[in-house]
Amino acid sequence: MLGYLLRRVLAAIPVMGVVALFVFLLLRITPGDPAAILAGDNATPAQLERIRTSLGLNEPLYIQFVTWVGKLLHGDLGVSLISNVPVLKLIGQRVEPSLSIALSTIILSIVVAVPLGVIAAWKHGTWIDRFVMGLSVIGFSVPVFVIGYVLIQIFAIDLRWLPVQGFRSITSGFGPFLERIILPTIALSFIYVALIARMTRAAMLDVLGEDYVRTARAKGIAEPGVLLRHALRNAAVPVITVIGSGFTLLISGVVVTESVFNLPGIGRLTVDAVLGRDYPVIQGMILLTSFVYVLVNLLIDLAYTLLDPRIRY
């Protein structure tokens, strides 16, 4: 098992290397003078020269890359061109809202979707199965911003139970923190509940007809034990893959939700950086997203080694 995990870690290193090379070339392969792109149309020749010198654009390309990687390994992602704040500090200030929504969404989705998928597979072909699949279709079909606005109208404007928008850090108290992330979490959970429920149902249907499931039932094991201990455990690998992929998508794709609920997360930061041509922030966000993808895939591989007894070496 350790050998398998070590190979997966070693395989992730070239992936991050390719991503780092792409991020480095992002500014250099842009048509035109990178210094002019960063400085704007009204920059003077002296300002352009200062930018070229600060970015090392006058050096050979390979020296620029080595220097940039050296800074990267020391945690230096550059400085934002808009706010003049180090990119790493800027991301650190914005990561809590996005991470909070992603974690709460994936937890809520698992708690709701996995039982729904198991029940739908157990009652395959009945009205319960059709009802769950109907909910999944609705979850896939309705845009997140529509769900968000409906929730705001009902719970924030009509009933006045929850705040309309904004974010409070968990350090200010769990109550204020929870009441400001519950609506974004519910809105974003719809599509992930649909996705995880459908995958759980499909994976369960594949294993419910296996011999070991029939043997467990023949031994007189209660149906909940058959479903949870025998069927769900063997169906968990594709479900975990979907959950892991969904989490990475949540980290990098909460732009719409953060815009609807006015949350100062990394999604909003990315949009502002793109609109303002803040290339150091864009580079930092690409690196962060890629690192999250690689880390989650490594965790999925670890789950494989724990759930699949065939993986040992």
Side-chain angles (χ1 to χ4, degrees):
M1 183 176 70
L2 291 178
Y4 172 78
L5 291 177
L6 180 61
R7 288 195 298 272
R8 298 299 298 168
V9 172
L10 293 177
I13 295 177
V15 173
M16 291 303 301
V18 172
V19 172
L21 179 62
F22 169 77
V23 170
F24 169 77
L25 294 175
L26 179 65
L27 181 61
R28 277 77 179 175
I29 64 178
T30 303
D33 185 0
I37 294 174
L38 296 177
D41 298 331
N42 300 322
T44 64
Q47 291 173 328
L48 294 178
E49 187 60 29
R50 283 198 299 271
I51 292 177
R52 292 191 189 99
T53 302
S54 63
L55 296 177
L57 296 176
N58 296 325
E59 301 289 340
L61 193 61
Y62 71 93
I63 293 180
Q64 295 181 40
F65 181 69
V66 172
T67 304
W68 182 77
V69 170
K71 292 181 179 179
L72 186 63
L73 294 176
H74 287 85
D76 184 3
L77 298 179
V79 177
S80 169
L81 302 175
I82 297 177
S83 62
N84 201 31
V85 175
V87 174
L88 194 61
K89 181 179 179 180
L90 200 59
I91 293 175
Q93 293 172 347
R94 298 292 195 97
V95 75
E96 185 184 0
S98 298
L99 186 60
S100 299
I101 296 174
L103 287 173
S104 59
T105 298
I106 209 69
I107 291 173
L108 179 61
S109 300
I110 293 172
V111 170
V112 174
V114 172
L116 285 178
V118 172
I119 294 173
W122 181 38
K123 299 295 184 179
H124 176 59
T126 66
W127 69 269
I128 297 177
D129 183 22
R130 290 190 291 270
F131 176 74
V132 173
M133 291 302 98
L135 290 179
S136 298
V137 171
I138 295 174
F140 277 120
S141 303
V142 182
V144 172
F145 70 90
V146 173
I147 299 173
Y149 285 132
V150 170
L151 292 176
I152 290 174
Q153 180 65 42
I154 296 174
F155 294 101
I157 298 178
D158 294 340
L159 298 178
R160 300 182 182 272
W161 287 356
L162 297 168
V164 175
Q165 55 187 7
F167 178 79
R168 295 285 292 274
S169 173
I170 195 171
T171 57
S172 63
F174 186 72
F177 165 78
L178 182 62
E179 69 179 7
R180 283 169 173 79
I181 69 166
I182 188 169
L183 289 184
T185 297
I186 295 174
L188 200 54
S189 295
F190 270 74
I191 187 171
Y192 290 99
V193 168
L195 178 63
I196 296 172
R198 291 179 70 91
M199 178 55 67
T200 304
R201 174 184 178 272
M204 288 289 292
L205 287 176
D206 287 338
V207 302
L208 284 177
E210 296 292 336
D211 292 338
Y212 57 83
V213 174
R214 288 194 292 267
T215 301
R217 284 172 172 159
K219 289 181 178 180
I221 298 178
E223 195 66 15
V226 173
L227 293 174
L228 298 178
R229 292 177 52 194
H230 296 275
L232 183 58
R233 175 168 181 151
N234 288 279
V237 171
V239 177
I240 289 176
T241 303
V242 170
I243 292 172
S245 301
F247 181 75
T248 55
L249 292 174
L250 282 168
I251 288 292
S252 58
V254 295
V255 177
V256 175
T257 306
E258 290 180 357
S259 299
V260 170
F261 292 94
N262 193 25
L263 300 173
I266 58 177
R268 290 280 301 279
L269 175 64
T270 304
V271 172
D272 294 341
V274 171
L275 294 177
R277 297 187 298 184
D278 196 343
Y279 283 95
V281 176
I282 297 172
Q283 291 175 329
M285 292 307 306
I286 295 175
L287 286 172
L288 173 65
T289 303
S290 303
F291 176 75
V292 171
Y293 267 94
V294 170
L295 179 61
V296 170
N297 282 322
L298 289 176
L299 294 176
I300 292 174
D301 291 334
L302 176 60
Y304 284 170
T305 62
L306 298 175
L307 294 172
D308 193 341
R310 295 170 296 180
I311 300 178
R312 287 293 180 265
Y313 304 100

